[in-house]
């Protein structure tokens, strides 16, 4: 169920990205896909660190919570710093 909600966000984000990046749609689409891939790789890497350190298998969830909070904070910062209206 979590995967469904996570992947259901991709299409609206892609449309928003294409509407925002007039004249550079292909570059924006590639950058968005690259950011998803980087997030996936970072999640796997950072989630594996507590396991290597000897913690139990519930600890990577806390790493995921931290990554989500950092992502939400970055979104808020980016929205506050940009002077243009997103939608």
């Amino acid at each position: 169920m979590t995967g469904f909600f996570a992947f259901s966000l991709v299409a609206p984000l892609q449309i928003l990205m294409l509407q925002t990046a007039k004249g550079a749609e292909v570059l924006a689409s590639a950058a968005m896909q690259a950011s998803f891939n980087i997030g996936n790789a970072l999640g796997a890497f950072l989630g594996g660190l507590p396991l290597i350190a000897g913690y139990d298998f519930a600890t990577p969830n806390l790493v995921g919570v931290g990554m989500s909070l950092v992502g939400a904070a970055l979104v808020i910062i980016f929205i506050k710093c940009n002077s243009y209206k997103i939608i």
Side-chain angles (χ1 to χ4, degrees), residues 12-13 15-22 74-87:
L13 284 173
I15 291 170
L16 182 62
M17 178 72 82
L18 293 176
Q19 289 175 347
T20 305
K22 297 292 182 194
L74 287 173
V75 167
I76 291 170
I77 290 169
F78 289 153
I79 288 174
K80 296 279 185 187
C81 290
N82 286 328
S83 60
Y84 63 89
K85 191 174 181 180
I86 291 179
I87 298 176

Side-chain angles (χ1 to χ4, degrees), residues 34-86:
S35 67
F36 276 114
N37 288 338
I38 290 170
N40 192 13
L42 275 176
F45 175 73
L46 294 176
L49 290 178
L51 297 177
I52 292 172
Y55 292 100
D56 63 350
F57 288 108
T59 310
N61 292 333
L62 298 175
V63 174
V65 169
M67 288 181 66
S68 298
L69 292 175
V70 168
L74 287 173
V75 167
I76 291 170
I77 290 169
F78 289 153
I79 288 174
K80 296 279 185 187
C81 290
N82 286 328
S83 60
Y84 63 89
K85 191 174 181 180
I86 291 179

